[in-house]
Coordinates of all heavy atoms in Angstrom, one line a residue:
G12 N 141.9 83.3 150.0 CA 141.0 84.0 150.7 C 141.7 85.2 151.4 O 141.2 86.4 151.5
I13 N 142.9 85.0 151.8 CA 143.7 86.0 152.4 C 144.2 87.1 151.4 O 144.2 88.2 151.6 CB 144.9 85.4 153.2 CG1 144.4 84.7 154.5 CG2 145.8 86.5 153.7 CD1 145.4 83.8 155.1
V14 N 144.8 86.5 150.3 CA 145.3 87.4 149.2 C 144.2 88.3 148.5 O 144.4 89.5 148.4 CB 146.0 86.6 148.1 CG1 146.4 87.4 146.9 CG2 147.1 85.8 148.7
G15 N 143.0 87.7 148.3 CA 141.9 88.5 147.9 C 142.1 89.4 146.6 O 142.5 88.9 145.6
E16 N 141.9 90.6 146.8 CA 141.9 91.5 145.7 C 143.3 91.9 145.2 O 143.5 92.6 144.2 CB 141.1 92.8 146.1 CG 139.7 92.5 146.3 CD 138.8 93.7 145.9 OE1 139.4 94.7 145.5 OE2 137.6 93.7 146.2
R17 N 144.3 91.4 145.9 CA 145.7 91.6 145.5 C 146.0 91.0 144.2 O 147.0 91.1 143.5 CB 146.6 91.2 146.5 CG 146.5 92.1 147.7 CD 147.6 91.8 148.7 NE 147.3 92.4 150.0 CZ 147.1 91.8 151.1 NH1 147.1 90.4 151.1 NH2 146.8 92.3 152.2
T18 N 145.1 89.9 143.8 CA 145.3 89.2 142.5 C 144.6 89.9 141.4 O 144.7 89.3 140.3 CB 144.7 87.7 142.7 OG1 143.3 87.9 143.0 CG2 145.5 87.0 143.8
L19 N 144.0 91.0 141.6 CA 143.3 91.7 140.5 C 144.2 91.9 139.3 O 143.6 91.9 138.1 CB 142.6 92.9 141.0 CG 141.5 93.6 140.2 CD1 140.5 92.6 139.8 CD2 141.0 94.8 140.9
P20 N 145.4 92.4 139.5 CA 146.2 92.6 138.2 C 146.3 91.3 137.4 O 146.6 91.5 136.2 CB 147.7 93.1 138.8 CG 147.3 93.6 140.2 CD 146.2 92.7 140.6
L21 N 146.3 90.2 137.9 CA 146.3 88.9 137.2 C 145.2 88.9 136.1 O 145.2 88.2 135.0 CB 146.2 87.7 138.0 CG 147.4 87.5 138.9 CD1 147.1 86.3 139.8 CD2 148.6 87.3 138.2
F22 N 144.1 89.7 136.3 CA 142.9 89.6 135.4 C 142.9 90.9 134.7 O 141.8 91.2 134.1 CB 141.6 89.4 136.3 CG 141.6 88.2 137.0 CD1 141.9 88.1 138.3 CD2 141.2 87.0 136.4 CE1 141.9 86.9 139.0 CE2 141.2 85.8 137.1 CZ 141.5 85.7 138.4
G23 N 144.0 91.6 134.6 CA 144.0 92.8 133.8 C 143.2 93.9 134.4 O 142.7 94.8 133.7
G24 N 142.9 93.8 135.7 CA 142.1 94.9 136.3 C 140.6 94.7 136.2 O 139.8 95.5 136.6
D25 N 140.1 93.7 135.5 CA 138.8 93.4 135.2 C 138.1 92.8 136.4 O 138.3 91.6 136.7 CB 138.6 92.4 134.0 CG 137.2 92.3 133.5 OD1 136.3 92.9 134.2 OD2 137.0 91.6 132.6
E26 N 137.4 93.5 137.2 CA 136.8 93.1 138.5 C 135.7 92.0 138.2 O 135.6 91.1 139.0 CB 136.3 94.2 139.3 CG 137.3 95.1 139.9 CD 136.7 96.2 140.7 OE1 135.5 96.2 141.1 OE2 137.4 97.1 141.0
A27 N 135.0 92.2 137.2 CA 133.9 91.2 136.8 C 134.5 89.9 136.5 O 134.0 88.8 137.0 CB 133.1 91.7 135.7
L28 N 135.6 89.8 135.8 CA 136.2 88.6 135.4 C 136.8 88.0 136.7 O 136.7 86.7 136.9 CB 137.3 88.7 134.4 CG 138.1 87.5 133.9 CD1 137.1 86.4 133.3 CD2 139.1 87.8 133.0
A29 N 137.4 88.7 137.5 CA 138.0 88.2 138.8 C 136.9 87.7 139.6 O 137.1 86.6 140.2 CB 138.8 89.3 139.4
A30 N 135.8 88.4 139.7 CA 134.7 87.9 140.7 C 134.1 86.5 140.1 O 133.9 85.7 140.9 CB 133.7 89.0 140.8
R31 N 134.0 86.5 138.9 CA 133.3 85.3 138.3 C 134.3 84.2 138.4 O 133.9 83.0 138.7 CB 133.0 85.6 136.8 CG 132.2 84.5 136.1 CD 131.7 85.1 134.8 NE 130.9 84.0 134.2 CZ 130.5 84.0 133.0 NH1 130.9 85.0 132.2 NH2 129.8 83.1 132.5
T32 N 135.6 84.4 138.2 CA 136.5 83.3 138.4 C 136.7 82.8 139.8 O 136.7 81.6 140.0 CB 138.0 83.9 137.9 OG1 137.8 84.3 136.4 CG2 139.0 82.7 138.0
Y33 N 136.7 83.7 140.7 CA 136.7 83.3 142.0 C 135.4 82.6 142.5 O 135.4 81.8 143.4 CB 137.1 84.5 143.1 CG 138.6 84.7 143.1 CD1 139.2 86.0 142.7 CD2 139.5 83.6 143.3 CE1 140.5 86.2 142.7 CE2 140.8 83.8 143.3 CZ 141.4 85.1 143.1 OH 142.7 85.3 143.1
M34 N 134.4 83.1 141.9 CA 133.1 82.4 142.2 C 133.1 80.9 141.8 O 132.4 80.2 142.4 CB 131.9 83.2 141.4 CG 130.6 82.7 141.8 SD 129.2 83.7 141.1 CE 129.6 83.7 139.3
I35 N 134.0 80.6 140.8 CA 134.1 79.2 140.5 C 135.2 78.5 141.2 O 135.1 77.3 141.6 CB 134.4 79.2 138.8 CG1 133.3 79.8 138.1 CG2 134.6 77.8 138.4 CD1 131.9 79.3 138.4
V36 N 136.3 79.2 141.4 CA 137.5 78.6 142.0 C 137.2 78.1 143.5 O 137.6 77.1 143.8 CB 138.7 79.6 141.9 CG1 139.9 79.1 142.9 CG2 139.2 79.7 140.5
F37 N 136.6 79.0 144.2 CA 136.4 78.6 145.7 C 135.5 77.5 145.8 O 135.8 76.5 146.6 CB 135.7 79.9 146.4 CG 136.8 80.8 146.9 CD1 137.1 81.9 146.1 CD2 137.5 80.6 148.1 CE1 138.2 82.8 146.5 CE2 138.5 81.6 148.5 CZ 138.8 82.6 147.7
P38 N 134.3 77.3 145.1 CA 133.6 76.0 145.3 C 134.4 74.8 144.7 O 134.3 73.8 145.3 CB 132.4 76.3 144.5 CG 132.2 77.7 144.3 CD 133.6 78.3 144.4
L39 N 135.2 75.0 143.7 CA 135.8 73.8 143.1 C 136.9 73.4 144.1 O 137.1 72.2 144.3 CB 136.5 74.2 141.8 CG 135.6 74.2 140.5 CD1 136.3 74.6 139.4 CD2 135.0 72.8 140.3
L40 N 137.7 74.4 144.6 CA 138.7 74.0 145.6 C 138.1 73.3 146.9 O 138.6 72.3 147.4 CB 139.6 75.1 146.0 CG 140.6 75.7 145.0 CD1 141.2 76.9 145.4 CD2 141.6 74.5 144.7
G41 N 137.0 74.0 147.5 CA 136.3 73.4 148.6 C 135.8 72.1 148.3 O 135.8 71.1 149.2
G42 N 135.1 71.9 147.2 CA 134.5 70.6 146.9 C 135.5 69.5 146.6 O 135.4 68.4 147.0
A43 N 136.6 69.9 146.0 CA 137.6 68.9 145.7 C 138.3 68.5 147.1 O 138.6 67.3 147.2 CB 138.7 69.5 144.8
A44 N 138.5 69.4 148.0 CA 139.0 69.1 149.3 C 138.0 68.2 150.1 O 138.4 67.2 150.6 CB 139.4 70.3 150.1
F45 N 136.8 68.5 150.0 CA 135.8 67.7 150.6 C 135.7 66.3 150.0 O 135.6 65.3 150.8 CB 134.3 68.3 150.5 CG 133.3 67.6 151.2 CD1 133.2 67.6 152.6 CD2 132.4 67.0 150.5 CE1 132.2 66.8 153.3 CE2 131.3 66.3 151.1 CZ 131.2 66.2 152.5
A46 N 135.8 66.2 148.7 CA 135.8 64.9 148.1 C 137.0 64.1 148.4 O 136.9 62.8 148.7 CB 135.7 65.1 146.5
A47 N 138.1 64.7 148.4 CA 139.5 64.0 148.7 C 139.4 63.6 150.2 O 140.1 62.5 150.6 CB 140.6 64.9 148.5
F48 N 138.7 64.2 151.1 CA 138.5 63.8 152.4 C 137.6 62.6 152.7 O 137.9 61.9 153.7 CB 138.0 65.1 153.3 CG 137.8 64.8 154.7 CD1 138.8 64.7 155.6 CD2 136.5 64.7 155.2 CE1 138.6 64.4 157.0 CE2 136.2 64.5 156.4 CZ 137.2 64.3 157.4
Q49 N 136.7 62.3 151.8 CA 135.8 61.3 152.0 C 136.3 59.9 152.2 O 135.8 59.2 153.2 CB 134.7 61.3 150.9 CG 133.9 62.5 150.8 CD 133.1 62.7 152.1 OE1 132.3 61.7 152.5 NE2 133.1 63.8 152.6

């Protein structure tokens, strides 16, 4: 969350791919943390 758009070069500058990837990564990380906490 802090790094944010500084990771855009990892996606070859494709903002749509970066947005879609982060749209998946954030819920997966949050949900996995919540599941591991249960």
Side-chain angles (χ1 to χ4, degrees):
I13 292 170
V14 172
E16 294 206 9
R17 293 186 195 113
T18 60
L19 197 55
L21 294 174
F22 299 98
D25 188 0
E26 290 183 13
L28 178 62
R31 193 169 179 192
T32 301
Y33 280 126
M34 186 172 58
I35 303 306
V36 168
F37 277 94
L39 282 176
L40 286 174
F45 182 71
F48 174 74
Q49 291 300 309

